[in-house]
Amino acid sequence: MNEIIPTAHEWMELHVEALFTHDRRLRLRDVNEPWPGAAPAARFFLGRTVEGTAICRFRHDVPDLLVEQMEERVADETVDYREKPKHFEAYLSLLQAEQFTMGPCYLVPAELTPTMQTVRVTRENVTELSRGGFEWLVSEIDYAQPCIALVRDGRAVSVCRSVRIAPRAHEAGLDTLERYRGNGYAAEVVAGWAAAVRETGCLPLYSTSWDNRASRSVARKANLVLYGANFTVT
């Protein structure tokens, strides 16, 4: 297993590496989804860390002059990951964009382990486990591995799977059926998923949006390690 990378800045680099595919110039190409048919990457990624550092990446088709103008503003950022970027309006204006995402990024720590029994979802058991709410998982199961579920009444009620997969890190995708929320099941499958990811030699990462209170609550209850926040413009 790989040694845990010691800095938030390096965790943020792993985060953007997992989110998007890159070319040789470290320009973004596509959303790094493990299944076929990936969408184009965001045009701009800004990651700000709890250490007060920042990294930025641009999609391959953003003109070099525009990249230079935006990099000048990134260098002048007030790196407070809890707030909007200092040059938030300028980034949107320069890219002539309106759509953006913003939210916290976490590392799932090695000491987090499930206290309830979880199961690995595979091609062999997905049809049975996915009935009653997770039927869509059948089409993803060959790609979104590892996939861990908590089972109640003979079916999966909470699932965590790898939805972004890079050589050094995986990003979590988490879903819990509505009637089973509030029982701590989400934190359990995140713990089980993270353990399975670490067995592959990769680091388990978890990110969400500031508006997603339920997802942030899972991160808080599971004592995930906050290392910063991302800001992306599409």
Side-chain angles (χ1 to χ4, degrees):
M1 182 179 296
N2 292 343
E3 181 180 356
I4 294 179
I5 298 177
T7 71
H9 189 88
E10 289 172 296
W11 286 331
M12 188 62 73
E13 288 181 333
L14 291 184
H15 173 60
V16 68
E17 178 184 306
L19 289 184
F20 307 110
T21 62
H22 294 64
D23 62 21
R24 293 183 178 180
R25 293 199 301 162
L26 292 183
R27 293 292 189 91
L28 309 180
R29 301 293 303 189
D30 299 305
V31 175
N32 189 32
E33 295 172 334
W35 45 82
R43 287 187 288 162
F44 174 57
F45 170 92
L46 174 64
R48 297 172 295 160
T49 76
V50 297
E51 298 168 342
T53 63
I55 66 171
C56 64
R57 299 280 168 84
F58 300 88
R59 200 167 70 192
H60 64 94
D61 55 357
V62 177
D64 289 344
L65 179 59
L66 186 53
V67 168
E68 292 178 7
Q69 293 174 327
M70 295 185 68
E71 285 181 332
E72 290 177 359
R73 288 164 173 79
V74 171
D76 184 49
E77 272 295 334
T78 302
V79 189
D80 186 345
Y81 66 91
R82 297 163 296 185
E83 305 292 340
K84 281 186 178 181
K86 177 180 178 181
H87 299 290
F88 170 82
E89 290 81 7
Y91 298 139
L92 295 183
S93 177
L94 287 167
L95 289 168
Q96 298 182 355
E98 296 180 356
Q99 300 296 319
F100 66 92
T101 62
M102 187 163 54
C105 306
Y106 305 89
L107 173 75
V108 185
E111 57 269 22
L112 181 66
T113 56
T115 60
M116 303 179 192
Q117 184 176 2
T118 60
V119 300
R120 182 79 172 256
V121 184
T122 65
R123 170 56 55 186
E124 287 69 32
N125 62 11
V126 65
T127 300
E128 177 184 0
L129 293 179
S130 63
R131 61 183 174 85
F134 282 114
E135 287 84 359
W136 50 265
L137 193 58
V138 174
S139 64
E140 292 187 6
I141 199 61
D142 291 336
Y143 307 102
Q145 289 291 341
C147 178
I148 303 297
L150 193 143
V151 177
R152 290 290 182 269
D153 305 319
R155 61 173 180 161
V157 298
S158 186
V159 170
C160 187
R161 68 207 191 282
S162 294
V163 294
R164 304 287 185 270
I165 300 173
R168 298 187 294 166
H170 291 206
E171 282 272 349
L174 175 64
D175 294 276
T176 302
L177 298 181
E178 186 171 0
R179 63 172 292 196
Y180 290 92
R181 294 173 186 171
N183 297 301
Y185 295 163
E188 293 295 316
V189 292
V190 168
W193 168 81
V197 169
R198 288 182 180 276
E199 288 176 1
T200 72
C202 295
L203 289 177
L205 305 179
Y206 179 102
S207 59
T208 186
S209 69
W210 290 118
D211 294 334
N212 193 334
R213 294 183 178 180
S215 184
R216 289 171 56 199
S217 176
V218 171
R220 183 179 64 255
K221 292 177 181 177
N223 292 316
L224 305 190
V225 180
L226 177 70
Y227 59 87
N230 66 33
F231 169 71
T232 62
V233 180
T234 55

